[in-house]
PDB file of all heavy atoms in Angstrom:
ATOM      1  N   PHE A 492      17.778  -5.196  -2.737  1.00  0.00           N
ATOM      2  CA  PHE A 492      16.691  -4.733  -3.611  1.00  0.00           C
ATOM      3  C   PHE A 492      15.480  -5.652  -3.484  1.00  0.00           C
ATOM      4  O   PHE A 492      14.348  -5.195  -3.286  1.00  0.00           O
ATOM      5  CB  PHE A 492      17.184  -4.703  -5.060  1.00  0.00           C
ATOM      6  CG  PHE A 492      16.167  -4.217  -6.046  1.00  0.00           C
ATOM      7  CD1 PHE A 492      16.076  -2.872  -6.369  1.00  0.00           C
ATOM      8  CD2 PHE A 492      15.310  -5.103  -6.685  1.00  0.00           C
ATOM      9  CE1 PHE A 492      15.143  -2.415  -7.287  1.00  0.00           C
ATOM     10  CE2 PHE A 492      14.373  -4.661  -7.600  1.00  0.00           C
ATOM     11  CZ  PHE A 492      14.290  -3.312  -7.901  1.00  0.00           C
ATOM     12  N   GLY A 493      15.710  -6.953  -3.583  1.00  0.00           N
ATOM     13  CA  GLY A 493      14.602  -7.904  -3.516  1.00  0.00           C
ATOM     14  C   GLY A 493      13.968  -7.987  -2.149  1.00  0.00           C
ATOM     15  O   GLY A 493      12.732  -8.062  -2.024  1.00  0.00           O
ATOM     16  N   ALA A 494      14.788  -7.957  -1.101  1.00  0.00           N
ATOM     17  CA  ALA A 494      14.259  -8.063   0.251  1.00  0.00           C
ATOM     18  C   ALA A 494      13.378  -6.866   0.595  1.00  0.00           C
ATOM     19  O   ALA A 494      12.331  -7.018   1.226  1.00  0.00           O
ATOM     20  CB  ALA A 494      15.412  -8.174   1.250  1.00  0.00           C
ATOM     21  N   VAL A 495      13.787  -5.681   0.165  1.00  0.00           N
ATOM     22  CA  VAL A 495      12.992  -4.479   0.422  1.00  0.00           C
ATOM     23  C   VAL A 495      11.637  -4.576  -0.285  1.00  0.00           C
ATOM     24  O   VAL A 495      10.597  -4.217   0.276  1.00  0.00           O
ATOM     25  CB  VAL A 495      13.747  -3.211  -0.018  1.00  0.00           C
ATOM     26  CG1 VAL A 495      12.824  -1.991  -0.020  1.00  0.00           C
ATOM     27  CG2 VAL A 495      14.926  -2.956   0.901  1.00  0.00           C
ATOM     28  N   GLY A 496      11.647  -5.085  -1.525  1.00  0.00           N
ATOM     29  CA  GLY A 496      10.401  -5.231  -2.273  1.00  0.00           C
ATOM     30  C   GLY A 496       9.405  -6.128  -1.556  1.00  0.00           C
ATOM     31  O   GLY A 496       8.217  -5.782  -1.418  1.00  0.00           O
ATOM     32  N   PHE A 497       9.868  -7.288  -1.074  1.00  0.00           N
ATOM     33  CA  PHE A 497       8.976  -8.206  -0.364  1.00  0.00           C
ATOM     34  C   PHE A 497       8.523  -7.614   0.971  1.00  0.00           C
ATOM     35  O   PHE A 497       7.389  -7.825   1.398  1.00  0.00           O
ATOM     36  CB  PHE A 497       9.678  -9.552  -0.132  1.00  0.00           C
ATOM     37  CG  PHE A 497       9.569 -10.483  -1.301  1.00  0.00           C
ATOM     38  CD1 PHE A 497      10.638 -10.673  -2.156  1.00  0.00           C
ATOM     39  CD2 PHE A 497       8.394 -11.163  -1.555  1.00  0.00           C
ATOM     40  CE1 PHE A 497      10.544 -11.525  -3.244  1.00  0.00           C
ATOM     41  CE2 PHE A 497       8.278 -12.034  -2.639  1.00  0.00           C
ATOM     42  CZ  PHE A 497       9.358 -12.209  -3.485  1.00  0.00           C
ATOM     43  N   THR A 498       9.415  -6.863   1.629  1.00  0.00           N
ATOM     44  CA  THR A 498       9.048  -6.249   2.906  1.00  0.00           C
ATOM     45  C   THR A 498       7.933  -5.222   2.721  1.00  0.00           C
ATOM     46  O   THR A 498       6.968  -5.187   3.498  1.00  0.00           O
ATOM     47  CB  THR A 498      10.277  -5.573   3.539  1.00  0.00           C
ATOM     48  OG1 THR A 498      11.300  -6.553   3.750  1.00  0.00           O
ATOM     49  CG2 THR A 498       9.911  -4.939   4.869  1.00  0.00           C
ATOM     50  N   PHE A 499       8.063  -4.390   1.694  1.00  0.00           N
ATOM     51  CA  PHE A 499       7.018  -3.408   1.413  1.00  0.00           C
ATOM     52  C   PHE A 499       5.698  -4.106   1.102  1.00  0.00           C
ATOM     53  O   PHE A 499       4.631  -3.687   1.560  1.00  0.00           O
ATOM     54  CB  PHE A 499       7.426  -2.518   0.240  1.00  0.00           C
ATOM     55  CG  PHE A 499       8.163  -1.280   0.647  1.00  0.00           C
ATOM     56  CD1 PHE A 499       9.477  -1.343   1.070  1.00  0.00           C
ATOM     57  CD2 PHE A 499       7.550  -0.045   0.617  1.00  0.00           C
ATOM     58  CE1 PHE A 499      10.173  -0.211   1.459  1.00  0.00           C
ATOM     59  CE2 PHE A 499       8.211   1.102   0.994  1.00  0.00           C
ATOM     60  CZ  PHE A 499       9.539   1.022   1.417  1.00  0.00           C
ATOM     61  N   GLY A 500       5.766  -5.177   0.303  1.00  0.00           N
ATOM     62  CA  GLY A 500       4.562  -5.909  -0.045  1.00  0.00           C
ATOM     63  C   GLY A 500       3.883  -6.510   1.176  1.00  0.00           C
ATOM     64  O   GLY A 500       2.656  -6.431   1.332  1.00  0.00           O
ATOM     65  N   ALA A 501       4.694  -7.083   2.075  1.00  0.00           N
ATOM     66  CA  ALA A 501       4.147  -7.691   3.284  1.00  0.00           C
ATOM     67  C   ALA A 501       3.528  -6.645   4.209  1.00  0.00           C
ATOM     68  O   ALA A 501       2.510  -6.894   4.873  1.00  0.00           O
ATOM     69  CB  ALA A 501       5.240  -8.456   4.021  1.00  0.00           C
ATOM     70  N   PHE A 502       4.124  -5.455   4.256  1.00  0.00           N
ATOM     71  CA  PHE A 502       3.630  -4.399   5.130  1.00  0.00           C
ATOM     72  C   PHE A 502       2.338  -3.782   4.590  1.00  0.00           C
ATOM     73  O   PHE A 502       1.408  -3.497   5.345  1.00  0.00           O
ATOM     74  CB  PHE A 502       4.697  -3.310   5.278  1.00  0.00           C
ATOM     75  CG  PHE A 502       4.243  -2.124   6.088  1.00  0.00           C
ATOM     76  CD1 PHE A 502       4.157  -2.196   7.473  1.00  0.00           C
ATOM     77  CD2 PHE A 502       3.892  -0.938   5.464  1.00  0.00           C
ATOM     78  CE1 PHE A 502       3.728  -1.104   8.218  1.00  0.00           C
ATOM     79  CE2 PHE A 502       3.462   0.163   6.200  1.00  0.00           C
ATOM     80  CZ  PHE A 502       3.390   0.074   7.583  1.00  0.00           C
ATOM     81  N   VAL A 503       2.273  -3.587   3.280  1.00  0.00           N
ATOM     82  CA  VAL A 503       1.139  -2.889   2.667  1.00  0.00           C
ATOM     83  C   VAL A 503      -0.109  -3.771   2.588  1.00  0.00           C
ATOM     84  O   VAL A 503      -1.234  -3.289   2.765  1.00  0.00           O
ATOM     85  CB  VAL A 503       1.532  -2.374   1.264  1.00  0.00           C
ATOM     86  CG1 VAL A 503       0.303  -1.972   0.458  1.00  0.00           C
ATOM     87  CG2 VAL A 503       2.485  -1.190   1.393  1.00  0.00           C
ATOM     88  N   SER A 504       0.070  -5.060   2.338  1.00  0.00           N
ATOM     89  CA  SER A 504      -1.066  -5.952   2.088  1.00  0.00           C
ATOM     90  C   SER A 504      -2.172  -5.868   3.129  1.00  0.00           C
ATOM     91  O   SER A 504      -3.363  -5.798   2.777  1.00  0.00           O
ATOM     92  CB  SER A 504      -0.568  -7.397   1.952  1.00  0.00           C
ATOM     93  OG  SER A 504       0.242  -7.540   0.796  1.00  0.00           O
ATOM     94  N   PRO A 505      -1.855  -5.875   4.437  1.00  0.00           N
ATOM     95  CA  PRO A 505      -2.954  -5.827   5.428  1.00  0.00           C
ATOM     96  C   PRO A 505      -3.678  -4.483   5.476  1.00  0.00           C
ATOM     97  O   PRO A 505      -4.805  -4.415   5.982  1.00  0.00           O
ATOM     98  CB  PRO A 505      -2.229  -6.092   6.765  1.00  0.00           C
ATOM     99  CG  PRO A 505      -0.886  -6.624   6.404  1.00  0.00           C
ATOM    100  CD  PRO A 505      -0.548  -6.034   5.083  1.00  0.00           C
ATOM    101  N   LEU A 506      -3.047  -3.415   4.979  1.00  0.00           N
ATOM    102  CA  LEU A 506      -3.630  -2.076   5.102  1.00  0.00           C
ATOM    103  C   LEU A 506      -4.940  -1.940   4.333  1.00  0.00           C
ATOM    104  O   LEU A 506      -5.807  -1.156   4.720  1.00  0.00           O
ATOM    105  CB  LEU A 506      -2.633  -1.011   4.616  1.00  0.00           C
ATOM    106  CG  LEU A 506      -1.316  -0.907   5.394  1.00  0.00           C
ATOM    107  CD1 LEU A 506      -0.442   0.195   4.804  1.00  0.00           C
ATOM    108  CD2 LEU A 506      -1.577  -0.642   6.870  1.00  0.00           C
ATOM    109  N   VAL A 507      -5.071  -2.703   3.232  1.00  0.00           N
ATOM    110  CA  VAL A 507      -6.280  -2.554   2.408  1.00  0.00           C
ATOM    111  C   VAL A 507      -7.510  -3.153   3.079  1.00  0.00           C
ATOM    112  O   VAL A 507      -8.634  -2.945   2.610  1.00  0.00           O
ATOM    113  CB  VAL A 507      -6.082  -3.186   1.012  1.00  0.00           C
ATOM    114  CG1 VAL A 507      -4.924  -2.520   0.277  1.00  0.00           C
ATOM    115  CG2 VAL A 507      -5.850  -4.691   1.119  1.00  0.00           C
ATOM    116  N   GLY A 508      -7.306  -3.894   4.160  1.00  0.00           N
ATOM    117  CA  GLY A 508      -8.435  -4.509   4.851  1.00  0.00           C
ATOM    118  C   GLY A 508      -8.955  -3.686   6.006  1.00  0.00           C
ATOM    119  O   GLY A 508      -9.873  -4.109   6.716  1.00  0.00           O
ATOM    120  N   ILE A 509      -8.395  -2.497   6.213  1.00  0.00           N
ATOM    121  CA  ILE A 509      -8.812  -1.649   7.328  1.00  0.00           C
ATOM    122  C   ILE A 509     -10.042  -0.831   6.917  1.00  0.00           C
ATOM    123  O   ILE A 509      -9.991  -0.042   5.972  1.00  0.00           O
ATOM    124  CB  ILE A 509      -7.675  -0.701   7.759  1.00  0.00           C
ATOM    125  CG1 ILE A 509      -6.454  -1.515   8.218  1.00  0.00           C
ATOM    126  CG2 ILE A 509      -8.136   0.233   8.858  1.00  0.00           C
ATOM    127  CD1 ILE A 509      -5.237  -0.664   8.524  1.00  0.00           C
ATOM    128  N   GLY A 510     -11.148  -1.018   7.624  1.00  0.00           N
ATOM    129  CA  GLY A 510     -12.355  -0.244   7.340  1.00  0.00           C
ATOM    130  C   GLY A 510     -12.975  -0.603   5.993  1.00  0.00           C
ATOM    131  O   GLY A 510     -12.952  -1.759   5.554  1.00  0.00           O
ATOM    132  N   ASN A 511     -13.516   0.404   5.315  1.00  0.00           N
ATOM    133  CA  ASN A 511     -14.111   0.222   3.991  1.00  0.00           C
ATOM    134  C   ASN A 511     -13.007  -0.123   2.992  1.00  0.00           C
ATOM    135  O   ASN A 511     -12.078   0.661   2.796  1.00  0.00           O
ATOM    136  CB  ASN A 511     -14.813   1.533   3.579  1.00  0.00           C
ATOM    137  CG  ASN A 511     -15.499   1.404   2.227  1.00  0.00           C
ATOM    138  OD1 ASN A 511     -14.879   1.038   1.236  1.00  0.00           O
ATOM    139  ND2 ASN A 511     -16.776   1.751   2.191  1.00  0.00           N
ATOM    140  N   ILE A 512     -13.108  -1.298   2.369  1.00  0.00           N
ATOM    141  CA  ILE A 512     -12.011  -1.768   1.530  1.00  0.00           C
ATOM    142  C   ILE A 512     -11.776  -0.873   0.314  1.00  0.00           C
ATOM    143  O   ILE A 512     -10.643  -0.716  -0.145  1.00  0.00           O
ATOM    144  CB  ILE A 512     -12.246  -3.238   1.085  1.00  0.00           C
ATOM    145  CG1 ILE A 512     -10.944  -3.806   0.497  1.00  0.00           C
ATOM    146  CG2 ILE A 512     -13.401  -3.320   0.065  1.00  0.00           C
ATOM    147  CD1 ILE A 512     -10.968  -5.292   0.309  1.00  0.00           C
ATOM    148  N   MET A 513     -12.820  -0.247  -0.206  1.00  0.00           N
ATOM    149  CA  MET A 513     -12.648   0.644  -1.349  1.00  0.00           C
ATOM    150  C   MET A 513     -11.819   1.869  -0.942  1.00  0.00           C
ATOM    151  O   MET A 513     -10.835   2.231  -1.604  1.00  0.00           O
ATOM    152  CB  MET A 513     -14.002   1.080  -1.900  1.00  0.00           C
ATOM    153  CG  MET A 513     -14.912  -0.058  -2.302  1.00  0.00           C
ATOM    154  SD  MET A 513     -14.267  -1.050  -3.679  1.00  0.00           S
ATOM    155  CE  MET A 513     -14.678   0.001  -5.073  1.00  0.00           C
ATOM    156  N   THR A 514     -12.203   2.479   0.162  1.00  0.00           N
ATOM    157  CA  THR A 514     -11.496   3.673   0.638  1.00  0.00           C
ATOM    158  C   THR A 514     -10.059   3.345   1.036  1.00  0.00           C
ATOM    159  O   THR A 514      -9.119   4.066   0.673  1.00  0.00           O
ATOM    160  CB  THR A 514     -12.231   4.298   1.836  1.00  0.00           C
ATOM    161  OG1 THR A 514     -13.581   4.587   1.471  1.00  0.00           O
ATOM    162  CG2 THR A 514     -11.546   5.571   2.281  1.00  0.00           C
ATOM    163  N   SER A 515      -9.873   2.252   1.781  1.00  0.00           N
ATOM    164  CA  SER A 515      -8.529   1.897   2.246  1.00  0.00           C
ATOM    165  C   SER A 515      -7.623   1.510   1.078  1.00  0.00           C
ATOM    166  O   SER A 515      -6.432   1.850   1.064  1.00  0.00           O
ATOM    167  CB  SER A 515      -8.596   0.758   3.269  1.00  0.00           C
ATOM    168  OG  SER A 515      -9.230  -0.384   2.721  1.00  0.00           O
ATOM    169  N   THR A 516      -8.175   0.826   0.077  1.00  0.00           N
ATOM    170  CA  THR A 516      -7.373   0.443  -1.092  1.00  0.00           C
ATOM    171  C   THR A 516      -6.955   1.667  -1.893  1.00  0.00           C
ATOM    172  O   THR A 516      -5.777   1.812  -2.255  1.00  0.00           O
ATOM    173  CB  THR A 516      -8.167  -0.517  -2.001  1.00  0.00           C
ATOM    174  OG1 THR A 516      -8.461  -1.719  -1.279  1.00  0.00           O
ATOM    175  CG2 THR A 516      -7.364  -0.875  -3.246  1.00  0.00           C
ATOM    176  N   PHE A 517      -7.895   2.551  -2.176  1.00  0.00           N
ATOM    177  CA  PHE A 517      -7.564   3.743  -2.966  1.00  0.00           C
ATOM    178  C   PHE A 517      -6.590   4.649  -2.208  1.00  0.00           C
ATOM    179  O   PHE A 517      -5.706   5.262  -2.809  1.00  0.00           O
ATOM    180  CB  PHE A 517      -8.834   4.523  -3.319  1.00  0.00           C
ATOM    181  CG  PHE A 517      -9.831   3.741  -4.124  1.00  0.00           C
ATOM    182  CD1 PHE A 517     -11.184   4.056  -4.098  1.00  0.00           C
ATOM    183  CD2 PHE A 517      -9.426   2.666  -4.913  1.00  0.00           C
ATOM    184  CE1 PHE A 517     -12.107   3.336  -4.835  1.00  0.00           C
ATOM    185  CE2 PHE A 517     -10.346   1.936  -5.651  1.00  0.00           C
ATOM    186  CZ  PHE A 517     -11.686   2.271  -5.610  1.00  0.00           C
ATOM    187  N   THR A 518      -6.741   4.711  -0.881  1.00  0.00           N
ATOM    188  CA  THR A 518      -5.814   5.509  -0.075  1.00  0.00           C
ATOM    189  C   THR A 518      -4.407   4.928  -0.127  1.00  0.00           C
ATOM    190  O   THR A 518      -3.418   5.650  -0.308  1.00  0.00           O
ATOM    191  CB  THR A 518      -6.290   5.577   1.393  1.00  0.00           C
ATOM    192  OG1 THR A 518      -7.603   6.145   1.441  1.00  0.00           O
ATOM    193  CG2 THR A 518      -5.330   6.397   2.234  1.00  0.00           C
ATOM    194  N   THR A 519      -4.322   3.605   0.013  1.00  0.00           N
ATOM    195  CA  THR A 519      -3.013   2.937  -0.030  1.00  0.00           C
ATOM    196  C   THR A 519      -2.358   3.114  -1.395  1.00  0.00           C
ATOM    197  O   THR A 519      -1.156   3.405  -1.483  1.00  0.00           O
ATOM    198  CB  THR A 519      -3.170   1.442   0.290  1.00  0.00           C
ATOM    199  OG1 THR A 519      -3.829   1.284   1.547  1.00  0.00           O
ATOM    200  CG2 THR A 519      -1.817   0.749   0.341  1.00  0.00           C
ATOM    201  N   LEU A 520      -3.140   2.938  -2.447  1.00  0.00           N
ATOM    202  CA  LEU A 520      -2.604   3.126  -3.799  1.00  0.00           C
ATOM    203  C   LEU A 520      -2.095   4.556  -3.994  1.00  0.00           C
ATOM    204  O   LEU A 520      -1.008   4.771  -4.552  1.00  0.00           O
ATOM    205  CB  LEU A 520      -3.687   2.819  -4.838  1.00  0.00           C
ATOM    206  CG  LEU A 520      -4.105   1.358  -5.014  1.00  0.00           C
ATOM    207  CD1 LEU A 520      -5.300   1.261  -5.961  1.00  0.00           C
ATOM    208  CD2 LEU A 520      -2.950   0.517  -5.539  1.00  0.00           C
ATOM    209  N   THR A 521      -2.869   5.518  -3.530  1.00  0.00           N
ATOM    210  CA  THR A 521      -2.501   6.922  -3.725  1.00  0.00           C
ATOM    211  C   THR A 521      -1.239   7.287  -2.951  1.00  0.00           C
ATOM    212  O   THR A 521      -0.328   7.924  -3.490  1.00  0.00           O
ATOM    213  CB  THR A 521      -3.657   7.853  -3.293  1.00  0.00           C
ATOM    214  OG1 THR A 521      -4.828   7.528  -4.045  1.00  0.00           O
ATOM    215  CG2 THR A 521      -3.299   9.304  -3.540  1.00  0.00           C
ATOM    216  N   VAL A 522      -1.182   6.876  -1.686  1.00  0.00           N
ATOM    217  CA  VAL A 522      -0.027   7.235  -0.845  1.00  0.00           C
ATOM    218  C   VAL A 522       1.262   6.597  -1.369  1.00  0.00           C
ATOM    219  O   VAL A 522       2.300   7.266  -1.485  1.00  0.00           O
ATOM    220  CB  VAL A 522      -0.277   6.827   0.621  1.00  0.00           C
ATOM    221  CG1 VAL A 522       0.993   6.995   1.453  1.00  0.00           C
ATOM    222  CG2 VAL A 522      -1.412   7.647   1.213  1.00  0.00           C
ATOM    223  N   THR A 523       1.218   5.313  -1.698  1.00  0.00           N
ATOM    224  CA  THR A 523       2.425   4.641  -2.194  1.00  0.00           C
ATOM    225  C   THR A 523       2.871   5.221  -3.538  1.00  0.00           C
ATOM    226  O   THR A 523       4.066   5.416  -3.778  1.00  0.00           O
ATOM    227  CB  THR A 523       2.188   3.126  -2.326  1.00  0.00           C
ATOM    228  OG1 THR A 523       0.965   2.885  -3.061  1.00  0.00           O
ATOM    229  CG2 THR A 523       2.081   2.450  -0.976  1.00  0.00           C
ATOM    230  N   ALA A 524       1.912   5.524  -4.404  1.00  0.00           N
ATOM    231  CA  ALA A 524       2.246   6.117  -5.703  1.00  0.00           C
ATOM    232  C   ALA A 524       2.822   7.521  -5.534  1.00  0.00           C
ATOM    233  O   ALA A 524       3.780   7.903  -6.225  1.00  0.00           O
ATOM    234  CB  ALA A 524       1.008   6.159  -6.600  1.00  0.00           C
ATOM    235  N   LEU A 525       2.252   8.280  -4.611  1.00  0.00           N
ATOM    236  CA  LEU A 525       2.707   9.657  -4.391  1.00  0.00           C
ATOM    237  C   LEU A 525       4.139   9.684  -3.854  1.00  0.00           C
ATOM    238  O   LEU A 525       4.956  10.509  -4.286  1.00  0.00           O
ATOM    239  CB  LEU A 525       1.770  10.364  -3.418  1.00  0.00           C
ATOM    240  CG  LEU A 525       2.046  11.859  -3.167  1.00  0.00           C
ATOM    241  CD1 LEU A 525       1.982  12.651  -4.468  1.00  0.00           C
ATOM    242  CD2 LEU A 525       1.049  12.414  -2.155  1.00  0.00           C
ATOM    243  N   VAL A 526       4.455   8.783  -2.923  1.00  0.00           N
ATOM    244  CA  VAL A 526       5.825   8.730  -2.400  1.00  0.00           C
ATOM    245  C   VAL A 526       6.798   8.318  -3.507  1.00  0.00           C
ATOM    246  O   VAL A 526       7.896   8.877  -3.622  1.00  0.00           O
ATOM    247  CB  VAL A 526       5.920   7.760  -1.207  1.00  0.00           C
ATOM    248  CG1 VAL A 526       7.367   7.658  -0.724  1.00  0.00           C
ATOM    249  CG2 VAL A 526       5.023   8.205  -0.065  1.00  0.00           C
ATOM    250  N   ALA A 527       6.398   7.347  -4.343  1.00  0.00           N
ATOM    251  CA  ALA A 527       7.244   6.957  -5.483  1.00  0.00           C
ATOM    252  C   ALA A 527       7.460   8.135  -6.422  1.00  0.00           C
ATOM    253  O   ALA A 527       8.556   8.316  -6.974  1.00  0.00           O
ATOM    254  CB  ALA A 527       6.602   5.789  -6.229  1.00  0.00           C
ATOM    255  N   LEU A 528       6.434   8.960  -6.603  1.00  0.00           N
ATOM    256  CA  LEU A 528       6.539  10.143  -7.457  1.00  0.00           C
ATOM    257  C   LEU A 528       7.537  11.149  -6.877  1.00  0.00           C
ATOM    258  O   LEU A 528       8.399  11.672  -7.595  1.00  0.00           O
ATOM    259  CB  LEU A 528       5.165  10.787  -7.609  1.00  0.00           C
ATOM    260  CG  LEU A 528       5.107  12.143  -8.338  1.00  0.00           C
ATOM    261  CD1 LEU A 528       5.691  12.023  -9.741  1.00  0.00           C
ATOM    262  CD2 LEU A 528       3.665  12.652  -8.393  1.00  0.00           C
TER     263      LEU A 528
END
């Protein structure tokens, strides 16, 4: 459980820096939230 949590965090963190940070951050938030839903 814990290892998966840190792995997801490590994978997602760089994604918000791709291109326009506002767009990439909101996209990352939306996609991760939608999959959790």
